Amino acid sequence: PDLISFISGSVAKNFFTKSKLPIPELSHIWELSDIDCDGALTLPEFCAAFHLIVARKNGYALPETLPQTLLSDLLATVSPTPSLDCTLYESYRGESTPVNQQTRDFSRTEK
């Protein structure tokens, strides 16, 4: 995987909605996972979000805050700046990609 790429909010939203989880739950997962509130997900942020989606699909309740086991991995890779609103599913703020960040289109299948 490309460890320096970011997944844009719109690509992540399209992927995560395939889980069929309710939008409010997906919004909460986004808020927990996008810890730097930049509207895009790094690979570790994406993995945290995907972990929460799979756990929820398996009947586990969503946590109020990101579990320490996931948070410590994320904090090691990003510098959080929680000054922004991280809501993606309600406001669609994640449509733009921060400057100097490459996005990867996960909607295509690779051969």
Side-chain angles (χ1 to χ4, degrees):
D2 187 352
L3 300 178
I4 62 169
S5 292
F6 287 77
I7 301 166
S8 71
S10 59
V11 171
K13 179 182 176 191
N14 289 336
F15 182 76
F16 292 155
T17 54
K18 292 177 184 178
S19 71
K20 306 278 192 226
L21 288 176
I23 296 300
E25 291 184 2
L26 290 172
S27 180
H28 182 62
I29 290 168
W30 179 270
E31 291 170 4
L32 292 174
S33 303
D34 185 20
I35 64 166
D36 55 3
C37 296
D38 64 354
L41 298 178
T42 61
L43 180 60
E45 288 174 325
F46 176 83
C47 290
F50 194 72
H51 173 82
L52 293 171
I53 288 171
V54 171
R56 184 67 189 116
K57 292 290 287 181
N58 285 310
Y60 292 92
L62 289 176
E64 290 298 315
T65 60
L66 201 60
Q68 188 62 41
T69 53
L70 294 175
L71 185 60
S72 58
D73 289 343
L74 291 177
L75 291 177
T77 60
V78 297
S79 56
T81 54
S83 60
L84 301 174
D85 176 14
C86 293
T87 306
L88 171 69
Y89 284 87
E90 294 166 6
S91 66
Y92 296 90
R93 283 183 20 62
E95 297 300 323
S96 63
T97 302
V99 178
N100 297 328
Q101 292 181 354
Q102 177 185 6
T103 61
R104 183 165 181 190
D105 184 358
F106 285 96
S107 62
R108 296 179 294 159
T109 55
E110 297 180 10
K111 294 182 180 181

